[in-house]
Coordinates of all heavy atoms in Angstrom, one line a residue:
M1342 N 7.2 121.8 126.4 CA 8.6 121.4 125.9 C 9.5 122.8 125.9 O 9.0 123.7 125.4 CB 8.5 120.8 124.6 CG 9.9 120.5 123.9 SD 9.8 119.5 122.4 CE 9.7 121.0 121.4
S1343 N 10.6 122.7 126.4 CA 11.4 123.9 126.3 C 12.3 123.7 125.0 O 12.9 122.7 124.8 CB 12.4 123.8 127.5 OG 13.3 124.8 127.4
M1344 N 12.5 124.9 124.4 CA 13.2 124.9 123.2 C 14.3 125.9 123.4 O 14.3 127.0 123.9 CB 12.4 125.4 122.0 CG 11.6 124.4 121.3 SD 11.0 124.9 119.8 CE 9.8 126.2 120.3
H1345 N 15.6 125.4 123.1 CA 16.7 126.4 123.2 C 16.7 127.4 122.1 O 16.3 127.1 120.9 CB 18.0 125.5 123.2 CG 18.1 124.6 124.3 ND1 18.5 125.0 125.6 CD2 18.0 123.3 124.3 CE1 18.4 123.9 126.4 NE2 18.2 122.8 125.6
A1346 N 17.3 128.6 122.5 CA 17.3 129.7 121.5 C 18.3 129.3 120.4 O 19.2 128.5 120.6 CB 17.8 130.9 122.1
Q1347 N 17.9 129.6 119.2 CA 18.7 129.3 118.0 C 20.0 130.2 117.9 O 21.0 129.7 117.4 CB 17.9 129.5 116.7 CG 17.0 128.5 116.4 CD 17.5 127.2 116.1 OE1 18.5 127.2 115.3 NE2 17.0 126.1 116.6
F1348 N 19.9 131.4 118.4 CA 21.0 132.4 118.3 C 21.5 132.6 119.8 O 20.7 132.6 120.8 CB 20.5 133.7 117.8 CG 20.2 133.8 116.3 CD1 19.8 135.0 115.8 CD2 20.5 132.7 115.5 CE1 19.4 134.9 114.5 CE2 20.2 132.8 114.1 CZ 19.7 133.9 113.6
R1349 N 22.7 132.7 120.0 CA 23.3 133.1 121.1 C 24.0 134.5 121.0 O 24.8 134.7 120.2 CB 24.5 132.1 121.6 CG 25.1 132.5 122.9 CD 26.1 131.6 123.5 NE 25.3 130.4 123.8 CZ 25.9 129.3 124.4 NH1 27.0 129.2 124.6 NH2 25.1 128.2 124.8
R1350 N 23.6 135.4 121.8 CA 24.0 136.8 121.7 C 25.4 136.8 122.2 O 25.7 136.5 123.4 CB 23.0 137.7 122.4 CG 23.3 139.2 122.1 CD 22.3 140.0 122.9 NE 20.8 139.7 122.5 CZ 20.3 140.2 121.5 NH1 20.9 141.0 120.8 NH2 19.0 140.0 121.3
R1351 N 26.4 137.3 121.4 CA 27.7 137.4 121.8 C 28.3 138.9 121.8 O 29.3 139.1 122.5 CB 28.6 136.5 121.0 CG 28.3 135.1 121.1 CD 29.1 134.2 120.1 NE 30.5 134.3 120.8 CZ 31.2 133.2 120.9 NH1 30.9 132.1 120.6 NH2 32.4 133.5 121.5
Y1352 N 27.6 139.7 121.1 CA 28.0 141.1 121.0 C 26.9 142.0 121.4 O 25.7 141.6 121.4 CB 28.5 141.4 119.6 CG 29.6 140.5 119.1 CD1 29.4 139.4 118.3 CD2 30.9 140.7 119.5 CE1 30.3 138.5 117.9 CE2 32.0 139.8 119.1 CZ 31.6 138.7 118.3 OH 32.6 137.9 117.9
R1353 N 27.2 143.2 121.6 CA 26.3 144.2 122.0 C 25.4 143.8 123.3 O 24.3 144.1 123.3 CB 25.4 144.6 120.8 CG 26.2 145.1 119.6 CD 25.3 145.2 118.4 NE 24.0 145.8 118.6 CZ 22.9 145.2 118.3 NH1 22.9 143.9 117.8 NH2 21.7 145.8 118.5
L1354 N 26.0 143.1 124.2 CA 25.2 142.6 125.3 C 24.7 143.8 126.2 O 23.9 143.7 126.9 CB 26.1 141.7 126.1 CG 26.5 140.3 125.4 CD1 27.5 139.6 126.3 CD2 25.2 139.5 125.1
D1355 N 25.5 144.9 126.1 CA 25.1 146.1 126.9 C 24.3 147.1 126.2 O 24.1 148.2 126.7 CB 26.4 146.7 127.6 CG 27.4 147.1 126.5 OD1 27.2 146.8 125.3 OD2 28.3 147.8 126.9
E1356 N 23.8 146.8 125.0 CA 23.1 147.6 124.1 C 21.7 147.9 124.8 O 21.2 147.0 125.6 CB 22.8 147.1 122.7 CG 22.2 148.0 121.8 CD 22.8 149.4 121.5 OE1 23.8 149.4 120.9 OE2 22.3 150.3 122.3
T1357 N 21.0 149.0 124.5 CA 19.7 149.2 125.3 C 18.7 148.1 125.0 O 18.5 147.7 123.9 CB 19.1 150.6 124.7 OG1 20.2 151.6 124.7 CG2 17.8 150.9 125.2
P1358 N 18.1 147.6 126.1 CA 17.1 146.6 126.0 C 15.8 147.1 125.3 O 15.4 148.2 125.4 CB 16.7 146.3 127.5 CG 17.9 146.9 128.3 CD 18.4 148.0 127.5
V1359 N 15.3 146.2 124.5 CA 14.0 146.5 123.8 C 12.9 145.4 124.2 O 13.2 144.2 123.8 CB 14.2 146.6 122.3 CG1 12.8 146.8 121.6 CG2 15.1 147.8 121.9
H1360 N 11.8 145.7 124.8 CA 10.9 144.7 125.3 C 10.0 144.5 124.1 O 9.4 145.4 123.6 CB 10.3 145.1 126.6 CG 11.3 145.3 127.7 ND1 12.0 144.2 128.3 CD2 11.7 146.5 128.3 CE1 12.9 144.8 129.2 NE2 12.7 146.1 129.2
F1361 N 9.6 143.1 124.1 CA 8.6 142.8 123.1 C 7.9 141.5 123.7 O 8.4 140.9 124.7 CB 9.1 142.5 121.7 CG 10.1 141.2 121.7 CD1 9.7 140.1 121.3 CD2 11.4 141.3 122.1 CE1 10.5 138.9 121.1 CE2 12.3 140.2 122.0 CZ 11.8 139.1 121.5
T1362 N 6.8 141.1 123.1 CA 6.0 139.9 123.6 C 6.1 138.9 122.5 O 5.8 139.2 121.3 CB 4.6 140.4 123.9 OG1 4.7 141.4 124.9 CG2 3.8 139.2 124.5
L1363 N 6.3 137.6 122.9 CA 6.3 136.5 122.0 C 5.4 135.5 122.5 O 5.6 134.9 123.6 CB 7.8 135.9 121.9 CG 7.9 134.7 121.0 CD1 7.6 135.1 119.5 CD2 9.3 134.1 121.1
N1364 N 4.2 135.3 121.8 CA 3.2 134.4 122.2 C 2.8 134.7 123.7 O 2.6 133.8 124.5 CB 3.7 132.9 122.1 CG 4.0 132.7 120.6 OD1 3.1 133.0 119.7 ND2 5.1 132.0 120.3
G1365 N 2.6 135.9 124.0 CA 2.2 136.4 125.4 C 3.2 136.4 126.4 O 2.9 136.8 127.5
V1366 N 4.4 136.1 126.1 CA 5.5 136.1 127.2 C 6.4 137.3 126.9 O 6.8 137.5 125.7 CB 6.3 134.8 127.1 CG1 7.5 134.9 128.1 CG2 5.5 133.6 127.3
L1367 N 6.6 138.1 127.9 CA 7.5 139.3 127.8 C 9.0 138.9 127.5 O 9.5 138.1 128.4 CB 7.4 140.2 129.0 CG 8.1 141.5 129.0 CD1 7.6 142.4 127.9 CD2 8.1 142.2 130.3
E1368 N 9.5 139.3 126.5 CA 11.0 139.1 126.2 C 11.7 140.3 126.0 O 11.1 141.4 125.9 CB 11.0 138.2 124.8 CG 10.3 136.8 125.0 CD 11.0 135.8 125.8 OE1 12.0 136.1 126.3 OE2 10.4 134.7 125.8
T1369 N 13.1 140.1 125.9 CA 13.8 141.4 125.8 C 14.9 141.1 124.6 O 15.6 140.1 124.5 CB 14.7 141.6 127.1 OG1 13.7 141.7 128.1 CG2 15.5 142.9 126.9
G1370 N 14.9 142.1 123.6 CA 15.8 142.1 122.6 C 16.8 143.3 122.9 O 16.9 143.8 124.0
R1371 N 17.5 143.7 121.9 CA 18.4 144.8 122.0 C 18.2 145.8 120.9 O 17.8 145.5 119.8 CB 19.9 144.4 121.9 CG 20.3 143.4 123.0 CD 20.5 144.2 124.4 NE 21.0 143.4 125.4 CZ 20.2 142.6 126.2 NH1 18.9 142.5 125.9 NH2 20.8 141.9 127.2
R1372 N 18.4 147.1 121.1 CA 18.3 148.1 120.2 C 19.2 147.7 119.0 O 20.4 147.3 119.2 CB 18.7 149.4 120.8 CG 18.6 150.5 119.8 CD 18.9 151.9 120.4 NE 20.2 152.0 120.8 CZ 20.8 153.0 121.3 NH1 20.0 154.1 121.8 NH2 22.1 153.0 121.7
G1373 N 18.7 147.8 117.8 CA 19.4 147.5 116.6 C 19.1 146.1 116.1 O 19.5 145.7 115.0
D1374 N 18.3 145.3 116.9 CA 18.0 143.9 116.5 C 17.0 144.0 115.3 O 16.1 144.9 115.3 CB 17.3 143.1 117.6 CG 18.3 142.5 118.5 OD1 19.5 142.6 118.3 OD2 17.8 142.0 119.6
T1375 N 17.0 143.0 114.5 CA 15.8 142.8 113.6 C 14.9 142.0 114.4 O 15.2 141.3 115.4 CB 16.2 142.0 112.4 OG1 16.7 140.7 112.7 CG2 17.2 142.7 111.5
V1376 N 13.7 141.8 113.9 CA 12.6 141.0 114.6 C 13.2 139.5 114.6 O 13.0 138.9 115.7 CB 11.3 141.1 113.8 CG1 10.4 140.1 114.4 CG2 10.7 142.5 114.0
L1377 N 13.7 139.1 113.5 CA 14.3 137.7 113.5 C 15.4 137.4 114.5 O 15.3 136.4 115.2 CB 14.8 137.5 112.1 CG 15.3 136.0 111.8 CD1 14.9 135.5 110.4 CD2 16.8 135.9 111.9
T1378 N 16.3 138.4 114.5 CA 17.4 138.3 115.6 C 16.8 138.2 117.0 O 17.2 137.4 117.8 CB 18.4 139.4 115.5 OG1 18.9 139.4 114.3 CG2 19.5 139.3 116.6
A1379 N 15.8 139.1 117.4 CA 15.2 139.2 118.7 C 14.5 137.9 119.0 O 14.7 137.3 120.1 CB 14.4 140.3 118.8
I1380 N 13.7 137.3 118.0 CA 13.0 136.1 118.3 C 14.0 135.0 118.5 O 13.8 134.1 119.4 CB 11.9 135.9 117.3 CG1 10.7 137.0 117.4 CG2 11.3 134.5 117.4 CD1 9.7 136.9 116.4
L1381 N 14.9 134.7 117.6 CA 15.7 133.6 117.6 C 16.7 133.6 118.7 O 17.4 132.6 119.0 CB 16.3 133.4 116.3 CG 15.5 132.8 115.1 CD1 16.2 132.7 113.8 CD2 14.8 131.6 115.5
S1382 N 16.8 134.8 119.3 CA 17.7 135.0 120.5 C 17.0 134.5 121.8 O 17.7 134.3 122.8 CB 18.2 136.3 120.7 OG 19.0 136.8 119.6
V1383 N 15.7 134.2 121.7 CA 15.1 133.7 122.8 C 14.2 132.5 122.5 O 13.6 132.0 123.5 CB 14.0 134.9 123.5 CG1 15.0 136.1 123.9 CG2 13.0 135.3 122.5
S1384 N 14.2 132.0 121.3 CA 13.3 130.8 121.0 C 14.0 129.9 120.0 O 14.9 130.4 119.2 CB 12.1 131.5 120.2 OG 11.3 130.5 119.7
G1385 N 13.6 128.7 120.0 CA 14.1 127.7 119.1 C 13.6 127.8 117.7 O 14.1 127.0 116.8
R1386 N 12.6 128.5 117.4 CA 12.0 128.7 116.1 C 11.6 130.1 116.0 O 11.1 130.9 116.9 CB 10.8 127.8 115.9 CG 9.6 128.0 116.7 CD 8.4 127.2 116.3 NE 7.4 127.4 117.3 CZ 6.8 126.5 118.0 NH1 7.2 125.2 117.9 NH2 5.9 126.7 118.9
L1387 N 11.5 130.5 114.7 CA 10.9 131.8 114.4 C 9.4 131.8 114.3 O 8.7 132.7 114.9 CB 11.4 132.3 113.0 CG 10.9 133.6 112.5 CD1 11.5 134.7 113.5 CD2 11.4 134.0 111.1
R1388 N 8.9 130.7 113.7 CA 7.5 130.6 113.6 C 7.2 129.2 113.2 O 8.1 128.3 112.9 CB 6.9 131.5 112.5 CG 7.4 131.1 111.2 CD 6.8 132.1 110.0 NE 7.3 131.7 108.7 CZ 6.7 130.8 107.9 NH1 5.6 130.3 108.3 NH2 7.3 130.5 106.8
Q1389 N 5.9 128.7 113.2 CA 5.5 127.4 112.7 C 4.9 127.7 111.4 O 4.1 128.6 111.2 CB 4.4 126.8 113.6 CG 5.1 126.2 114.9 CD 3.9 125.5 115.7 OE1 3.1 126.2 116.2 NE2 3.9 124.2 115.6
S1390 N 5.3 126.9 110.2 CA 4.6 127.0 109.1 C 3.1 126.7 109.0 O 2.7 125.8 109.7 CB 5.2 125.8 108.1 OG 4.4 125.8 106.9
E1391 N 2.3 127.6 108.5 CA 0.9 127.5 108.5 C 0.5 126.3 107.5 O -0.7 125.9 107.6 CB 0.2 128.8 108.1 CG 0.6 129.4 106.8 CD 1.8 130.3 106.8 OE1 2.8 129.9 107.4 OE2 1.7 131.4 106.1
F1392 N 1.4 125.8 106.7 CA 1.0 124.7 105.9 C 1.3 123.3 106.5 O 0.6 122.4 106.2 CB 1.7 124.9 104.5 CG 1.4 126.2 103.8 CD1 2.3 127.2 103.8 CD2 0.1 126.5 103.4 CE1 2.0 128.4 103.1 CE2 -0.3 127.7 102.8 CZ 0.7 128.6 102.6
T1393 N 2.5 123.2 107.0 CA 2.9 121.9 107.5 C 3.1 121.8 109.1 O 3.2 120.7 109.5 CB 4.4 121.6 106.9 OG1 5.2 122.6 107.4 CG2 4.3 121.7 105.4
G1394 N 3.1 123.0 109.7 CA 3.3 123.0 111.1 C 4.8 122.8 111.5 O 5.1 122.8 112.8
E1395 N 5.7 122.8 110.5 CA 7.1 122.6 110.8 C 7.6 124.0 111.5 O 7.2 125.1 111.1 CB 7.9 122.3 109.6 CG 7.5 121.0 109.0 CD 8.4 120.7 107.6 OE1 9.0 121.8 107.2 OE2 8.4 119.6 107.1
D1396 N 8.7 123.8 112.2 CA 9.3 125.0 112.7 C 10.1 125.6 111.6 O 10.8 125.0 110.8 CB 10.3 124.6 113.8 CG 9.5 124.1 115.1 OD1 8.4 124.3 115.2 OD2 10.2 123.5 115.9
R1397 N 10.2 126.9 111.6 CA 10.9 127.7 110.5 C 11.8 128.7 111.3 O 11.3 129.2 112.3 CB 9.9 128.5 109.6 CG 8.9 127.5 108.8 CD 9.6 126.5 108.0 NE 10.5 127.1 107.0 CZ 11.4 126.4 106.3 NH1 11.5 125.1 106.4 NH2 12.2 127.1 105.5
A1398 N 12.9 129.0 110.6 CA 13.8 130.0 111.2 C 14.3 131.1 110.2 O 15.3 131.6 110.3 CB 15.1 129.3 111.7
G1399 N 13.5 131.2 109.1 CA 13.9 132.0 108.1 C 14.8 131.2 107.0 O 15.2 130.2 107.4
F1400 N 15.1 131.8 105.9 CA 16.0 131.1 105.0 C 17.0 131.9 104.5 O 18.4 131.7 104.7 CB 15.1 130.5 103.9 CG 15.8 129.7 102.9 CD1 16.4 128.5 103.2 CD2 16.1 130.2 101.5 CE1 17.1 127.7 102.2 CE2 16.8 129.5 100.7 CZ 17.4 128.2 101.0
C1401 N 16.7 132.9 103.7 CA 17.8 133.8 103.0 C 18.4 134.9 104.0 O 19.6 135.2 103.8 CB 17.2 134.5 101.8 SG 16.1 135.8 102.3
L1402 N 17.6 135.3 105.0 CA 18.0 136.3 105.9 C 18.3 137.7 105.3 O 18.9 138.5 105.9 CB 19.1 135.8 106.8 CG 19.0 134.5 107.5 CD1 20.1 134.1 108.3 CD2 17.6 134.5 108.2
I1403 N 18.0 137.9 103.9 CA 18.3 139.1 103.4 C 17.0 139.7 102.6 O 17.1 140.5 101.7 CB 19.4 138.9 102.2 CG1 19.0 137.9 101.2 CG2 20.7 138.7 102.9 CD1 20.0 137.9 100.0
G1404 N 15.8 139.3 103.0 CA 14.6 139.9 102.5 C 14.2 139.4 101.1 O 13.4 140.1 100.5
A1405 N 14.7 138.3 100.7 CA 14.4 137.8 99.4 C 13.4 136.6 99.3 O 12.8 136.3 98.3 CB 15.6 137.4 98.6
C1406 N 13.2 135.8 100.4 CA 12.5 134.5 100.2 C 11.0 134.5 100.8 O 10.4 133.6 100.5 CB 13.3 133.4 100.8 SG 13.3 133.3 102.6
Q1407 N 10.8 135.4 101.7 CA 9.5 135.4 102.4 C 9.2 134.3 103.4 O 8.1 134.0 103.8 CB 8.3 135.5 101.3 CG 8.4 136.6 100.4 CD 7.3 136.7 99.5 OE1 6.3 136.1 99.7 NE2 7.4 137.5 98.3
D1408 N 10.3 133.7 103.9 CA 10.1 132.5 104.8 C 10.0 133.0 106.1 O 9.7 132.2 107.1 CB 11.2 131.5 104.6 CG 11.1 130.2 105.4 OD1 10.0 129.6 105.1 OD2 11.9 129.8 106.1
C1409 N 10.2 134.3 106.4 CA 10.4 134.8 107.7 C 9.2 135.7 108.2 O 9.3 136.3 109.3 CB 11.7 135.5 108.0 SG 11.7 137.0 107.0
Y1410 N 8.1 135.6 107.4 CA 6.9 136.4 107.8 C 6.4 135.9 109.2 O 6.1 134.7 109.4 CB 5.9 136.4 106.8 CG 6.1 137.5 105.7 CD1 6.5 137.2 104.5 CD2 5.6 138.8 106.0 CE1 6.7 138.2 103.5 CE2 5.9 139.7 105.0 CZ 6.3 139.5 103.8 OH 6.5 140.4 102.8
V1411 N 6.2 136.9 110.2 CA 5.7 136.4 111.4 C 4.4 137.4 111.6 O 4.4 138.5 111.1 CB 6.6 136.7 112.6 CG1 7.7 135.7 112.5 CG2 7.2 138.1 112.7
M1412 N 3.5 136.8 112.3 CA 2.2 137.5 112.5 C 2.4 138.3 113.9 O 2.9 137.8 114.8 CB 1.0 136.6 112.7 CG -0.3 137.3 112.8 SD -1.7 136.0 112.8 CE -1.8 135.8 111.0
M1413 N 1.8 139.5 113.9 CA 1.8 140.3 115.0 C 0.4 140.2 115.7 O -0.5 139.7 115.0 CB 2.0 141.8 114.7 CG 3.5 142.0 114.1 SD 3.8 143.7 113.9 CE 3.9 144.3 115.5
A1414 N 0.4 140.4 117.0 CA -0.8 140.1 117.7 C -2.1 140.9 117.1 O -3.0 140.6 117.3 CB -0.7 140.5 119.2
D1415 N -1.8 142.0 116.4 CA -2.9 142.8 115.8 C -3.2 142.3 114.5 O -4.0 142.9 113.8 CB -2.5 144.3 115.8 CG -1.3 144.6 114.9 OD1 -0.7 143.7 114.2 OD2 -0.8 145.7 114.9
G1416 N -2.6 141.2 114.0 CA -2.9 140.6 112.7 C -2.1 141.0 111.5 O -2.3 140.4 110.6
R1417 N -1.3 142.1 111.7 CA -0.3 142.4 110.7 C 0.8 141.4 110.5 O 1.1 140.6 111.5 CB 0.3 143.7 110.9 CG -0.6 144.9 110.8 CD 0.1 146.2 111.0 NE 0.6 146.3 112.4 CZ 1.6 146.9 112.7 NH1 2.4 147.5 111.9 NH2 1.9 146.9 114.0
R1418 N 1.3 141.2 109.4 CA 2.5 140.4 109.2 C 3.7 141.3 108.8 O 3.6 142.2 108.1 CB 2.3 139.4 108.0 CG 1.2 138.3 108.4 CD 0.9 137.5 107.2 NE 0.3 136.3 107.6 CZ 0.9 135.1 107.8 NH1 2.1 135.0 107.6 NH2 0.2 134.0 108.3
V1419 N 4.8 140.9 109.4 CA 6.1 141.5 109.1 C 7.1 140.6 108.7 O 7.2 139.4 109.0 CB 6.6 142.4 110.4 CG1 5.6 143.5 110.7 CG2 6.9 141.6 111.5
R1420 N 8.0 141.1 107.7 CA 9.2 140.3 107.3 C 10.3 140.4 108.4 O 10.9 141.5 108.5 CB 9.7 140.8 106.0 CG 10.7 139.9 105.3 CD 11.1 140.3 103.9 NE 10.0 140.6 103.0 CZ 10.0 140.3 101.8 NH1 10.9 139.7 101.3 NH2 8.9 140.6 101.1
A1421 N 10.5 139.3 109.2 CA 11.3 139.4 110.4 C 12.7 139.7 110.1 O 13.3 140.4 111.0 CB 11.1 138.0 111.2
C1422 N 13.2 139.3 108.9 CA 14.7 139.5 108.7 C 15.1 140.9 108.3 O 16.1 141.4 108.4 CB 15.2 138.6 107.8 SG 14.8 138.8 106.1
S1423 N 13.9 141.7 107.9 CA 14.3 143.1 107.4 C 13.4 144.1 108.1 O 13.3 145.2 107.7 CB 14.1 143.2 106.0 OG 12.8 142.8 105.6
T1424 N 12.9 143.7 109.3 CA 12.1 144.7 110.1 C 12.8 144.9 111.5 O 13.2 144.0 112.1 CB 10.6 144.1 110.5 OG1 10.1 143.8 109.2 CG2 9.9 145.0 111.2
A1425 N 13.0 146.1 111.7 CA 13.7 146.5 113.1 C 12.7 146.3 114.2 O 11.5 146.6 114.2 CB 14.1 148.0 113.0
L1426 N 13.2 145.7 115.2 CA 12.5 145.5 116.5 C 12.2 146.9 117.1 O 13.0 147.7 117.2 CB 13.3 144.6 117.5 CG 12.6 144.4 118.8 CD1 11.4 143.4 118.5 CD2 13.6 143.7 119.8
E1427 N 10.9 147.0 117.5 CA 10.5 148.3 118.2 C 9.9 147.9 119.5 O 9.2 146.8 119.7 CB 9.5 149.1 117.3 CG 10.1 149.5 116.0 CD 9.0 150.2 115.2 OE1 8.0 150.6 115.7 OE2 9.3 150.3 114.0
P1428 N 10.1 148.8 120.5 CA 9.5 148.5 121.9 C 8.0 148.2 121.8 O 7.3 148.9 121.1 CB 9.8 149.8 122.6 CG 10.9 150.4 121.9 CD 10.8 150.1 120.5
G1429 N 7.5 147.3 122.5 CA 6.1 146.9 122.5 C 5.6 146.0 121.5 O 4.4 145.7 121.5
M1430 N 6.3 145.6 120.6 CA 5.9 144.8 119.4 C 5.4 143.5 120.0 O 6.0 143.0 121.0 CB 6.9 144.5 118.4 CG 7.2 145.6 117.4 SD 8.5 145.1 116.3 CE 8.0 145.9 114.8
A1431 N 4.3 142.9 119.5 CA 3.8 141.6 120.1 C 3.7 140.6 119.0 O 3.0 140.9 117.9 CB 2.5 141.9 120.7
F1432 N 4.3 139.5 119.0 CA 4.3 138.5 118.0 C 3.6 137.2 118.3 O 3.6 136.8 119.5 CB 5.7 138.1 117.6 CG 6.6 139.4 117.2 CD1 7.4 139.8 118.0 CD2 6.3 140.0 116.0 CE1 8.3 141.1 117.8 CE2 7.1 141.1 115.6 CZ 8.0 141.6 116.5
T1433 N 3.0 136.6 117.4 CA 2.2 135.4 117.6 C 2.8 134.4 116.6 O 2.4 134.5 115.4 CB 0.7 135.7 117.4 OG1 0.3 136.7 118.3 CG2 -0.1 134.4 117.7
T1434 N 3.5 133.5 117.1 CA 4.2 132.5 116.1 C 3.8 131.1 116.2 O 4.2 130.3 115.5 CB 5.7 132.6 116.4 OG1 6.1 132.2 117.6 CG2 6.2 134.0 116.1
D1435 N 2.9 130.8 117.2 CA 2.4 129.4 117.3 C 1.1 129.2 116.5 O 0.3 130.1 116.4 CB 2.1 129.1 118.8 CG 3.3 128.9 119.6 OD1 4.4 128.6 119.0 OD2 3.2 129.2 120.9
L1436 N 1.0 128.1 115.8 CA -0.2 127.8 115.0 C -1.4 128.0 115.5 O -2.3 128.8 114.9 CB -0.1 126.4 114.3 CG 0.8 126.2 113.1 CD1 0.6 124.7 112.7 CD2 0.4 127.1 112.0
G1437 N -1.7 127.6 116.7 CA -3.0 127.8 117.4 C -3.3 129.3 117.6 O -4.5 129.7 117.3
A1438 N -2.3 129.9 118.0 CA -2.5 131.4 118.4 C -2.7 132.2 117.1 O -3.5 133.1 117.0 CB -1.4 131.9 119.2
M1439 N -2.0 131.8 116.0 CA -2.2 132.5 114.7 C -3.5 132.4 114.2 O -4.1 133.2 113.7 CB -1.1 132.0 113.7 CG 0.3 132.4 114.0 SD 1.5 132.1 112.6 CE 1.5 130.4 112.5
A1440 N -4.1 131.2 114.4 CA -5.5 130.9 113.8 C -6.4 131.9 114.6 O -7.3 132.3 114.0 CB -5.8 129.5 114.0
E1441 N -6.2 132.0 115.9 CA -7.1 132.8 116.7 C -7.0 134.2 116.3 O -8.0 134.9 116.1 CB -6.8 132.7 118.2 CG -7.2 131.4 118.9 CD -6.8 131.3 120.3 OE1 -6.7 132.4 120.9 OE2 -6.6 130.2 120.8
V1442 N -5.8 134.7 116.0 CA -5.6 136.1 115.6 C -6.3 136.3 114.2 O -7.0 137.3 113.9 CB -4.2 136.5 115.5 CG1 -4.0 137.9 114.8 CG2 -3.5 136.5 116.9
A1443 N -6.2 135.4 113.3 CA -6.6 135.4 111.9 C -8.1 135.6 111.9 O -8.7 136.1 111.0 CB -6.2 134.3 111.1
H1444 N -8.8 134.9 112.9 CA -10.3 134.9 112.9 C -10.9 136.0 113.8 O -12.0 136.0 113.9 CB -10.7 133.4 113.3 CG -10.4 132.4 112.2 ND1 -9.5 131.5 112.5 CD2 -11.1 132.2 111.1 CE1 -9.4 130.8 111.5 NE2 -10.4 131.1 110.6
E1445 N -10.1 136.9 114.4 CA -10.6 137.9 115.2 C -11.2 139.0 114.3 O -10.8 139.2 113.3 CB -9.6 138.4 116.2 CG -9.3 137.4 117.3 CD -8.2 137.9 118.2 OE1 -7.7 139.1 118.1 OE2 -8.1 137.2 119.3
Ligands
FES775 S1 14.5 135.0 105.7 FE1 14.2 135.2 103.5 S2 12.9 137.1 103.5 FE2 13.5 136.9 105.5

């Protein structure tokens, strides 16, 4: 199933590209993006809830609610709304893949 991106980038289109991986797929954000901005600019969800499986897209967007934690491929978790995107970051946001990372 194809999901449309939640965010449409309208500004800074010519900003330096920053490559990252989302569930194994190479994606491109922009310098200055937060992790949340980068993911929602290419995906319909930020992550799946580990409790209900529902799609989540963050809530407060100011670092106060903890709804935006995403798992990195190395098992670390980052708060997407207040973490700057860095080149080479790899995120695992699908429930099945998160379970695999957690058990490695
Ligand atoms: S969306 Fe609330 S802490 Fe990130």
Side-chain angles (χ1 to χ4, degrees):
M1342 178 177 85
S1343 168
M1344 283 192 288
H1345 297 286
Q1347 287 291 319
F1348 290 173
R1349 177 174 294 184
R1350 193 178 298 279
R1351 300 185 62 136
Y1352 302 99
R1353 300 173 41 242
L1354 297 172
D1355 56 351
E1356 187 57 80
T1357 304
V1359 176
H1360 301 293
F1361 65 100
T1362 303
L1363 181 61
N1364 299 314
V1366 176
L1367 184 63
E1368 301 285 3
T1369 303
R1371 293 289 184 277
R1372 184 173 64 185
D1374 280 356
T1375 63
V1376 169
L1377 183 141
T1378 299
I1380 291 176
L1381 289 180
S1382 293
V1383 299
S1384 175
R1386 67 174 172 234
L1387 179 64
R1388 65 181 181 91
Q1389 286 182 286
S1390 167
E1391 59 270 48
F1392 303 109
T1393 65
E1395 293 177 349
D1396 291 347
R1397 303 299 304 167
F1400 182 70
C1401 72
L1402 309 184
I1403 58 170
C1406 76
Q1407 304 184 17
D1408 191 52
C1409 68
Y1410 273 99
V1411 295
M1412 183 176 282
M1413 297 185 67
D1415 63 7
R1417 288 182 295 146
R1418 290 177 162 259
V1419 295
R1420 194 181 303 227
C1422 74
S1423 57
T1424 301
L1426 181 69
E1427 296 177 17
M1430 284 179 144
F1432 304 103
T1433 304
T1434 61
D1435 289 334
L1436 273 182
M1439 286 192 297
E1441 288 179 23
V1442 170
H1444 290 105
E1445 286 179 359

